[in-house]
Amino acid sequence: MKKIILAGAGLLLILTGCTNVTTEQQSGEQTSEEMQHEENMDMNHENMEGMEEHMDHDNIPSLQASKGTQELVIPPLLEKQKDSDFDYEVVAQEGTTQFFDGSLTNTYGYNGNLLGPTLQLKEGETVKVKVRNELNEPTTFHWHGLEVPGSEDGGPSDVIQPGESKVVTLKADQPAATLWYHPHPHEMTAEQVFKGLAGMLYVEETDEEAPALPHTYGVDDIPLIFQDRLFDENKQLDYKNLMNNDGTIGDVSLVNGTVNPKLTVTKPLMRFRILNGANARNYTFRLSNDASFTQIASDGGLLREPVETDEITLSPSERAEILIDFSAMESDEPIAITDEEGNALLPFDLEYDGEMKKMESISWPDNTTFLSEEEKSLPVTKEIELFGMMDKVTINGKKFDPDRIDLRQKKRVLEVWEVYNKPDEMGGMLHPFHIHGTQFKIISRDGREPAPNELGLKDSVLIEPGERVRLLVTFPEEGIYMYHCHILEHEDNGMMGQVEVY
Ligand code: C2O
Ligand code: CU
Ligand code: CU
């Protein structure tokens, strides 16, 4: 074990008697006029043909800054069933949500109106989850990032028809991590996620030797699901009319489904588990006061070592866990998590008191050989080429075919996948590439070592146009798994393949 001193930890010891500090909140209720964001949108939803609607990355609508008028909703923890032959139940259902004063929006949720409860599994634990479809359309239940057999993975072939249910067995046989669950029905994933289906799935640490990180759910360990949404003039998520084939991007920022959120911070050291749950938008997160924070985990678990940074970029489906030490900051400035344009997405109301736990150091497992020289020099055995935009997207020149197996890989064998994002005449697009059933390591980006905050297990990786990324991939279980672009509209448009693990 080596000791890593957290940024600002010295200050924690000095500031023993931290007084209550409160950030200024913009007050006032939102009015319907203020919510006429559609006026700012320069998108012609009637014209869905051709390339006019291509998501030019200079053309992405800005997010509205949070007014901080609503306390952030924390998804409830999913409770264990008593006296039943399964441990948990997850029901996809219809509901309504009041995002805006005076109007109800039709939404989808798991066990509720919007999003879903957080499912916590312990490292090594096996649970039975009953999944039930109360929607009026088929759905599936996919456990993004969980290394379960293909039969439990909830891919597009694992359809649950309306009114039907089944019990899946989930074994959390992997390191502690922040994962998530969402639907994956053939050509309907984007719409169902857009309407609200997504939830957090944690694999929790059981090792006593593990770093002593904040872990009180909803208190100093907070899930943050960032999503952007586009509403029509009736404040509805009318996907068929609003959607864009390059990824549906909106100007309304939701955090855990909350519009205009703020978070009251009651502990000086906070852990945030951030999920980019958007259909297509990439986020770069910063703090409004430019302070640094510490990234501790990537998609699949703890980083090789904590990384101090002042921004992180997450593409759709990627996660990062960060620690923010509020006691190390000037007490009178308003602090918020912002996007790259400086729009406050989550303002904080600081109300912690001076009682500091001894947090002067967090010990980190010695992990310096994250990737061995041998692993780095393995030959490429699988080549993946991402190409296109709108409804012309392909992988290796093909569109998804549920009856075709594109790749085969032996269970527990390490292979190097080289994923190339082939540009087109217009330059090409960023694609977040995701593989089911595995937590991989990034070996290199265009031959260069990845950034320190990519030295951790991953299941999704953002790939720039023209870039070649090498991944070290192994599957611990058997079955058929999807790999695809996690811009959900690209996935639905066929930018997806299948690997059979045997
Ligand atoms: Cu988030 Cu195919 O999955
Ligand atoms: Cu997945
Ligand atoms: Cu894509």
Side-chain angles (χ1 to χ4, degrees):
M1 292 289 225
K2 68 173 173 175
K3 297 276 182 188
I4 302 283
I5 308 297
L6 278 174
L11 272 175
L12 299 186
L13 297 172
I14 300 161
L15 295 172
T16 46
C18 261
T19 45
N20 287 352
V21 278
T22 312
T23 49
E24 282 219 346
Q25 286 292 336
Q26 292 149 307
S27 54
E29 289 298 299
Q30 68 218 32
T31 67
S32 45
E33 277 93 311
E34 284 173 327
M35 288 300 163
Q36 291 301 315
H37 49 266
E38 290 89 330
E39 290 173 4
N40 305 329
M41 301 290 301
D42 191 21
M43 298 177 86
N44 176 2
H45 298 299
E46 268 102 77
N47 184 4
M48 295 309 295
E49 295 307 325
M51 290 298 159
E52 298 90 325
E53 289 277 335
H54 165 60
M55 262 304 157
D56 181 340
H57 280 264
D58 303 326
N59 236 334
I60 287 174
S62 294
L63 289 168
Q64 297 175 349
S66 171
K67 298 189 174 71
T69 48
Q70 311 287 334
E71 188 65 32
L72 179 75
V73 171
I74 306 291
L77 288 173
L78 184 57
E79 283 192 30
K80 245 187 179 149
Q81 303 278 320
K82 295 182 191 82
D83 308 317
S84 150
D85 48 3
F86 50 89
D87 302 294
Y88 295 101
E89 183 166 30
V90 179
V91 183
Q93 58 191 69
E94 294 180 1
T96 54
T97 302
Q98 180 154 15
F99 294 108
F100 308 108
D101 278 354
S103 40
L104 282 179
T105 303
N106 295 316
T107 49
Y108 286 175
Y110 292 116
N111 303 7
N113 290 305
L114 184 72
L115 298 175
T118 298
L119 172 52
Q120 276 182 321
L121 308 180
K122 291 196 187 67
E123 258 181 309
E125 186 183 21
T126 303
V127 299
K128 288 193 185 317
V129 182
K130 182 171 188 172
V131 295
R132 194 148 59 86
N133 180 6
E134 291 294 325
L135 303 171
N136 286 313
E137 60 194 31
T139 192
T140 83
F141 298 76
H142 170 54
W143 320 98
H144 180 124
L146 200 63
E147 295 175 319
V148 289
S151 58
E152 315 302 294
D153 181 60
S157 66
D158 200 5
V159 177
I160 314 287
Q161 294 296 343
E164 297 194 339
S165 65
K166 84 175 228 187
V167 175
V168 293
T169 303
L170 303 182
K171 182 160 191 220
D173 203 2
Q174 64 192 88
T178 300
L179 315 176
W180 62 303
Y181 61 99
H182 64 77
H184 220 297
H186 187 47
E187 296 177 343
M188 289 160 60
T189 298
E191 175 165 10
Q192 291 189 0
V193 173
F194 188 76
K195 289 183 171 169
L197 289 181
M200 288 297 217
L201 168 59
Y202 292 177
V203 177
E204 294 281 29
E205 195 61 67
T206 48
D207 182 359
E208 312 257 291
E209 301 273 277
L213 298 166
H215 65 271
T216 309
Y217 184 79
V219 177
D220 60 8
D221 182 355
I222 308 274
L224 297 178
I225 304 171
F226 284 89
Q227 297 173 311
D228 62 327
R229 288 294 179 264
L230 191 58
F231 291 86
D232 70 8
E233 60 279 4
N234 302 315
K235 304 287 181 272
Q236 297 302 315
L237 295 164
D238 180 1
Y239 184 78
K240 296 209 166 50
N241 284 313
L242 298 170
M243 70 87 72
N244 181 297
N245 268 314
D246 257 343
T248 306
I249 289 190
D251 60 334
V252 176
S253 168
L254 301 180
V255 188
N256 299 347
T258 315
V259 186
N260 288 316
K262 67 157 184 199
L263 177 68
T264 305
V265 168
T266 57
K267 301 283 173 198
L269 184 69
M270 297 287 289
R271 175 191 197 172
F272 295 103
R273 302 176 186 239
I274 303 175
L275 161 67
N276 179 344
N279 280 37
R281 179 184 287 270
N282 298 311
Y283 286 89
T284 295
F285 299 105
R286 295 197 184 120
L287 290 175
S288 54
N289 60 353
D290 294 323
S292 61
F293 50 88
T294 308
Q295 184 176 349
I296 54 170
S298 53
D299 302 333
L302 295 181
L303 294 175
R304 186 183 65 170
E305 56 185 23
V307 175
E308 196 183 335
T309 183
D310 54 13
E311 69 174 41
I312 40 171
T313 296
L314 295 180
S315 63
S317 85
E318 283 187 297
R319 287 88 64 208
E321 292 185 32
I322 63 168
L323 297 179
I324 301 182
D325 175 7
F326 288 95
S327 67
M329 297 175 189
E330 288 288 329
S331 61
D332 50 354
E333 56 189 337
I335 301 171
I337 293 179
T338 74
D339 64 10
E340 67 274 27
E341 294 176 3
N343 301 310
L345 305 183
L346 183 63
F348 296 114
D349 219 345
L350 300 186
E351 285 188 5
Y352 60 87
D353 59 31
E355 284 170 51
M356 271 298 301
K357 274 200 220 114
K358 281 250 163 70
M359 225 25 213
E360 68 276 356
S361 71
I362 289 179
S363 56
W364 214 259
D366 196 347
N367 225 348
T368 35
T369 52
F370 174 68
L371 264 172
S372 68
E373 285 309 314
E374 199 188 336
E375 287 172 332
K376 283 187 213 166
S377 55
L378 285 170
V380 172
T381 46
K382 301 234 181 320
E383 291 186 44
I384 309 283
E385 187 182 273
L386 310 175
F387 184 67
M389 60 171 74
M390 304 294 286
D391 56 356
K392 307 281 188 298
V393 284
T394 55
I395 294 186
N396 291 348
K398 295 180 197 145
K399 285 196 174 288
F400 179 67
D401 177 350
D403 298 323
R404 185 185 68 229
I405 297 296
D406 300 276
L407 302 171
R408 297 186 81 233
Q409 182 163 334
K410 214 164 177 224
K411 179 165 96 167
R412 292 201 205 96
V413 168
L414 287 168
E415 288 202 39
V416 177
W417 293 35
E418 184 173 87
V419 191
Y420 174 48
N421 181 353
K422 185 180 167 187
D424 56 24
E425 332 62 82
M426 292 173 72
M429 284 184 75
L430 296 151
H431 297 287
F433 182 72
H434 167 55
I435 314 176
H436 289 208
T438 180
Q439 290 290 338
F440 53 75
K441 295 176 183 175
I442 302 176
I443 299 173
S444 62
R445 289 180 171 276
D446 281 338
R448 289 185 300 273
E449 204 180 300
N453 71 345
E454 291 192 315
L455 299 177
L457 293 171
K458 298 279 295 166
D459 54 55
S460 295
V461 55
L462 183 60
I463 307 184
E464 307 256 355
E467 195 177 26
R468 274 174 208 277
V469 178
R470 284 194 185 178
L471 309 175
L472 187 68
V473 181
T474 178
F475 296 90
E477 302 289 342
E478 290 174 8
I480 294 172
Y481 297 101
M482 305 298 127
Y483 54 91
H484 59 89
C485 176
H486 220 289
I487 292 177
L488 296 178
E489 285 75 7
H490 283 181
E491 175 197 324
D492 282 348
N493 286 334
M495 200 171 199
M496 179 155 73
Q498 304 191 89
V499 54
E500 180 175 12
V501 178
Y502 61 100

